[in-house]
Amino acid sequence: MKIRMALLSVLLASGLRAAEAGAPSRPNILFILADDLGWSDLGCYGADLHETPQIDRLAKEGVRFTQAYAMSVCSPTRATLMTGKHAARLHYTIWSEGAIGGGPKKRALREAEAVSALSHDETTIAKLLHDAGYLTALVGKWHLGGWEYYPETHGFDINIGGTGWGAPQTFWWPYSGSGRYGAEFRYVPHLEYGKTGEYLTDRLTDEAMQVIDRAGDKPFFLYLAHHAVHTPIEAKPDDVRHFEGKRRDGMQHQHPVYAAMTKNLDDNVGRILNHLSQRGLDKNTVVIFASDNGGYTGKDRSNGRTIPVTDNSPLRSGKGSLYEGGIRVPLMIRWPGVTPSGAACDEPVILTDMLQTLLHIAGLPPSADAADGLDLTPLLKDPGAKLGRDALFFHYPHYYETTTPVSAVRMGDWKLLEYFEDHRLELYNLRDDIGELRNLAAQQPDRAAELLARLSAWREKVGAALPTPNPDFKKARP
């Protein structure tokens, strides 16, 4: 009897090992996040001057989201991406340095208080995947706090380039110096042994490919957070000349240096996709491409140009604003064997949804802490499906060159903005008016009141911090 039981145990154990050997491994995850890339900056979203064949190819091989959203500036999006919590719930509503500065002193409102670093009390997607056996790596921009809050403290095994700064001094090696963003000396760590003429987007891609090569048998979560196409607007001279020759009057996009930066970003997306294919990893790697906020529509004085960096048309405004140009972003996901090829999904989604989605992709249970995100895998399997979410919310209680403090809610095709300085309401039907040109608040007061009630209740629910009157502000006499 004992011999038979021992033999049975051996057979069961060997069968289990065989089943495990034959089971597919957890997919690798490559998340490529561009910085300040506008919704209409890519060919697959209608760009004219810009050339993005590699990113367009990725869209053709997976699902392209037409109504994906982020926060209106960088750090809040990165915080919500990491945690699955809304930036307003985290009180991370402005970029890190902006939270420290306290905002302008001569405006009608004092900006809402905000944190400048991602608390260690928060559980990140990197921590969850690390604990599940993934190699976790950040290559590029972090911008979620100083050295005490660097990626290594939030679940990343590897940090190449991540600091508390939001932009490099320059895109040219050695990527360091001072003066552009103030007196402090900025640098991008762990990019030693470069050479004159080396370009940051190329080098970060090189480092990311080395992470892939060194992952071994472990599944990897590679968060490749490029600084491109954030200022400073700098690009390779040959690429700039190409777009100077291509630019024509009447084109939506007019900045040849920005177009050249976008081309280089696209080239590097192609490089890492090809590297996955050459390594035989493309069939077991989920690739996600997105931007952290809308395109920057200001002027970059370092090039001495008088034209905006980009144009988000047909969307209104740009980075910082809660109009569509500030918060609607490109998003595409390729999951081999799951996503159909060349599909477009019109369901509104938000980058807060990424944590729950990545957990599902990795075969892990959903997170109870990620209170504001949904799992997007039903849309990845069927782009025509619905999530059942009735509203998306946005909160930017700060000043920026494109906006005064504001909150917004989108329900179905309707979107309401509430500006805090004068409590002005703006109501738009995005189906009929994607450019948000016709304010319908006066014509539809009941609908505006309904959305305002939803927005106010949401702010109270998540504990959103609000701006306050500035007692030192004096209105100028008419």
Side-chain angles (χ1 to χ4, degrees):
M1 181 67 175
K2 291 182 179 180
I3 294 176
R4 283 196 300 172
M5 290 298 294
L7 179 60
L8 180 60
S9 297
V10 170
L11 291 172
L12 286 173
S14 62
L16 180 59
R17 285 194 295 270
E20 289 175 344
S25 61
R26 284 178 171 167
N28 306 307
I29 300 168
L30 169 61
F31 195 116
I32 306 172
L33 187 67
D35 196 352
D36 284 6
L37 185 74
W39 182 76
S40 56
D41 279 339
L42 302 175
C44 55
Y45 286 89
D48 47 18
L49 177 64
H50 303 169
E51 298 174 4
T52 57
Q54 302 302 324
I55 299 174
D56 297 347
R57 173 169 66 94
L58 178 62
K60 291 177 182 177
E61 294 171 349
V63 174
R64 179 177 64 89
F65 290 83
T66 64
Q67 301 189 71
Y69 290 92
M71 304 298 108
S72 62
V73 293
C74 47
S75 296
T77 292
R78 293 160 199 273
T80 194
L81 174 64
M82 286 290 107
T83 64
K85 293 182 179 180
H86 197 285
R89 188 186 296 274
L90 296 168
H91 289 186
Y92 215 143
T93 48
I94 192 172
W95 65 94
S96 294
E97 301 93 325
I100 297 170
K105 303 296 188 281
K106 296 182 179 181
R107 303 297 295 266
L109 298 175
R110 286 180 173 170
E111 294 187 347
E113 292 186 3
V115 302
S116 61
L118 184 61
S119 170
H120 293 131
D121 292 335
E122 302 298 337
T123 301
T124 68
I125 183 60
K127 177 68 164 57
L128 293 168
L129 292 176
H130 169 87
D131 290 350
Y134 274 74
L135 174 71
T136 54
L138 175 281
V139 177
K141 178 173 174 175
W142 178 240
H143 206 199
L144 290 177
W147 61 267
E148 309 100 311
Y149 301 93
Y150 275 8
E152 297 92 331
T153 73
H154 280 292
F156 283 95
D157 299 304
I158 299 168
N159 170 25
I160 301 173
T163 68
W165 292 309
Q169 171 69 16
T170 175
F171 276 82
W172 301 106
W173 188 84
Y175 319 117
S176 61
S178 61
R180 187 185 301 276
Y181 298 103
E184 66 181 359
F185 184 87
R186 292 193 179 197
Y187 58 94
V188 183
H190 310 305
L191 299 183
E192 297 82 6
Y193 305 109
K195 59 183 179 180
T196 301
E198 181 182 276
Y199 190 71
L200 181 58
T201 312
D202 296 337
R203 178 64 183 274
L204 292 177
T205 303
D206 291 342
E207 298 291 336
M209 292 191 295
Q210 289 189 51
V211 170
I212 292 171
D213 291 343
R214 295 174 179 175
D217 295 332
K218 294 187 71 171
F220 60 79
F221 168 53
L222 174 53
Y223 176 32
L224 176 53
H226 278 296
H227 283 283
V229 288
H230 194 288
T231 58
I233 305 302
E234 299 173 338
K236 297 179 179 180
D238 287 347
D239 289 339
V240 175
R241 284 190 287 270
H242 168 74
F243 288 103
E244 285 178 334
K246 180 182 177 182
R247 183 179 56 172
R248 298 288 183 272
D249 291 342
M251 281 185 166
Q252 173 185 340
H253 298 105
Q254 288 289 323
H255 203 309
V257 187
Y258 183 79
M261 286 187 81
T262 306
K263 174 188 179 298
N264 178 266
L265 173 66
D266 182 75
D267 290 343
N268 279 286
V269 170
R271 287 179 64 212
I272 198 164
L273 294 179
N274 290 339
H275 190 70
L276 289 172
S277 179
Q278 291 164 4
R279 289 290 314 279
L281 298 172
D282 54 320
K283 301 303 183 185
N284 195 39
T285 301
V286 177
V287 180
I288 302 167
F289 179 90
S291 179
D292 65 342
N293 49 248
Y296 177 61
T297 55
K299 298 178 178 63
D300 179 52
R301 292 174 177 80
S302 65
N303 286 286
R305 299 185 182 270
T306 58
I307 56 177
V309 170
T310 194
D311 183 334
N312 298 307
S313 300
L315 308 182
R316 180 175 176 179
S317 194
K319 178 180 178 179
S321 168
L322 295 191
Y323 293 121
E324 294 292 288
I327 54 177
R328 194 182 291 207
V329 296
L331 171 66
M332 55 203 71
I333 302 177
R334 184 185 76 183
W335 185 359
V338 176
T339 50
S341 297
C345 179
D346 299 327
E347 180 77 351
V349 301
I350 192 166
L351 293 190
T352 312
D353 297 329
M354 285 296 104
L355 184 142
Q356 300 287 25
T357 305
L358 296 184
L359 290 179
H360 187 125
I361 288 171
L364 300 173
S367 168
D369 292 332
D372 302 306
L374 298 180
D375 176 10
L376 301 185
T377 53
L379 303 179
L380 301 182
K381 298 174 181 178
D382 176 10
K386 301 296 180 182
L387 291 176
R389 174 168 52 198
D390 67 344
L392 288 172
F393 299 92
F394 306 91
H395 188 58
Y396 188 72
H398 308 282
Y399 289 94
Y400 194 69
E401 57 192 86
T402 54
T403 191
T404 59
V406 59
S407 282
V409 56
R410 174 176 175 171
M411 291 181 61
D413 294 324
W414 292 94
K415 179 179 172 187
L416 180 87
L417 297 92
E418 180 190 14
Y419 285 90
F420 291 107
E421 279 194 346
D422 55 6
H423 297 286
R424 180 178 81 256
L425 299 181
E426 296 183 12
L427 178 69
Y428 301 100
N429 186 305
L430 296 178
R431 180 190 60 206
D432 301 331
D433 181 20
I434 192 174
E436 296 170 290
L437 301 176
R438 298 183 294 277
N439 180 8
L440 303 177
Q443 290 95 315
Q444 299 209 32
D446 291 344
R447 190 182 299 275
E450 176 191 3
L451 268 66
L452 179 60
R454 285 294 308 273
L455 181 58
S456 299
W458 171 80
R459 286 196 301 248
E460 183 175 355
K461 176 183 176 182
V462 301
L466 300 175
T468 56
N470 181 3
D472 299 326
F473 174 74
K474 295 181 181 179
K475 291 183 179 180
R477 291 183 178 180

